[in-house]
Amino acid sequence: MKKVYPDAGTAMAGLVKDGMTLMAGGFGLCGIPEALIEAVKQSGAKNLTFISNNAGVDGIGLGVLLETRQVKKMISSYVGENKLFAQQFLGGELEIEFNPQGTLAERIRAGGAGIPAFYTKTGFGTLVAEGKETRVFNGENYVMETGLVADVALVHAWMGDHEGNLIFRKTARNFNPMMATAGKITVAQVEHLVPAGQLNPDHIHTPGIYVKRIVHVPNAAKHIEQRTTRKHTSAPAATGGEV
C-alpha cells in the first residue's frame, strides 16, 4: 500500500469529520505536526477534541484551530502560553480535561498498547482525581486513569522511510512516539524521507505498521516559544599586564 502523499492536504483528505478526536504530537512548539494541523484547519471540521500536551501558542500549532473555533475540547497538561485558549475557556466556549504531564503520556501509551486503564499515585487527593475510581495497594492510595485512543493521530518525525518507519529527534520524542501507536489512523509529517531499507532498524522508534499516511515536509519551521535575550556586555579593555 502506497503511504506517501504529495502534500499535507492530500494526506488528510477524507480523514477529519465533525466531532472527531485527534492527537497532535509535540512538546511546546517542538516537534509539532504543523503542516497536518493546517490541513485540519482547511478541512473545516468542527467540534473537535484534541489530545495534546499543550495548545501551541497564539497563531502557531493548535492555536490556529482555536482561532477558527474548530476545537471543542482539549485533553492536555499545559496550556499556559495561549491567551486565546484562556479566553475561550473562561468564556465557556472550550472544555478542558487537565492531566499531570506524566499521566497524560502514560494514558496515551496505554491506549496504544491496548491497556484500558491503570492506577497511579499522581493526582490522588486533588481535583485531578474527582469522579475517578481510587484503590489502595500496599497501603498506598492510587487513582485510576483510562487509556486514550484517537480517531486520527498527527505526528512529526525527524526521519522516516516510505514504509512509515519513523525516527524522532530529542524533545520531539516526548509525545510523538506513543501517539503514533494510539491513533486508529496515524498520519506522519517527516522532515527527511528516505526509501525503505535505508534506516538502521536499531534506530527506529515507531515501526511502520502503525503509520498509514506520510507526507514529506523538508523545511519545517523551528519556532521558539519564548525568546529570552540579554544585552551584550563587552569585556573591559586590557590596560597592560597579563590578561
Side-chain angles (χ1 to χ4, degrees):
M1 181 177 67
K2 182 181 177 182
K3 295 184 178 183
V4 180
Y5 287 72
D7 54 65
T10 307
M12 294 297 293
L15 291 185
V16 186
K17 298 177 175 60
D18 291 356
M20 292 184 77
T21 297
L22 297 94
M23 289 182 179
F27 188 81
L29 298 181
C30 179
I32 59 174
E34 197 166 4
L36 299 177
I37 291 171
E38 179 62 27
V40 173
K41 175 184 174 181
Q42 296 302 322
S43 77
K46 301 287 186 181
N47 297 318
L48 301 174
T49 295
F50 262 93
I51 301 167
S52 179
N53 178 61
N54 57 282
V57 299
D58 296 289
I60 303 176
L62 294 181
V64 301
L65 300 182
L66 296 178
E67 291 177 349
T68 54
R69 301 298 199 276
Q70 289 175 258
V71 182
K72 176 188 71 174
K73 179 179 180 179
M74 288 291 304
I75 301 175
S76 302
S77 68
Y78 177 66
V79 293
E81 302 299 330
N82 195 309
K83 294 178 182 178
L84 183 57
F85 183 102
Q87 292 172 5
Q88 291 184 10
F89 173 66
L90 294 174
E93 301 178 61
L94 184 66
E95 299 175 45
I96 176 68
E97 182 180 327
F98 273 123
N99 296 254
Q101 199 163 80
T103 298
L104 179 64
E106 182 63 9
R107 290 184 72 190
I108 297 166
R109 190 202 68 82
I115 299 170
F118 60 93
Y119 288 94
T120 177
K121 289 183 180 181
T122 307
F124 181 85
T126 72
L127 292 174
V128 169
E130 282 192 358
K132 298 176 182 177
E133 179 184 328
T134 60
R135 287 187 63 178
V136 177
F137 294 94
N138 300 319
E140 301 284 349
N141 294 305
Y142 290 78
V143 58
M144 190 182 80
E145 297 283 358
T146 55
L148 291 171
V149 176
D151 297 303
V152 179
L154 311 177
V155 300
H156 173 101
W158 173 64
M159 185 172 287
D161 65 18
H162 289 206
E163 294 298 321
N165 298 300
L166 305 178
I167 297 173
F168 304 96
R169 189 168 183 264
K170 298 185 177 180
T171 308
R173 289 183 65 183
N174 282 13
F175 284 92
N176 278 298
M178 61 277 283
M179 285 186 175
T181 70
K184 296 175 183 177
I185 296 175
T186 295
V187 186
Q189 66 172 63
V190 176
E191 292 186 47
H192 304 281
L193 185 63
V194 300
Q198 289 197 13
L199 298 181
N200 184 332
D202 287 335
H203 295 168
I204 292 170
H205 299 128
T206 296
I209 192 171
Y210 290 107
V211 180
K212 298 296 188 293
R213 301 185 181 189
I214 307 159
V215 60
H216 187 202
V217 183
N219 299 306
K222 309 293 185 181
H223 300 288
I224 297 176
E225 199 164 345
Q226 291 191 19
R227 186 183 297 273
T228 303
T229 61
R230 66 178 181 180
K231 292 182 178 179
H232 182 269
T233 55
S234 300
T239 57
E242 290 189 34
V243 177

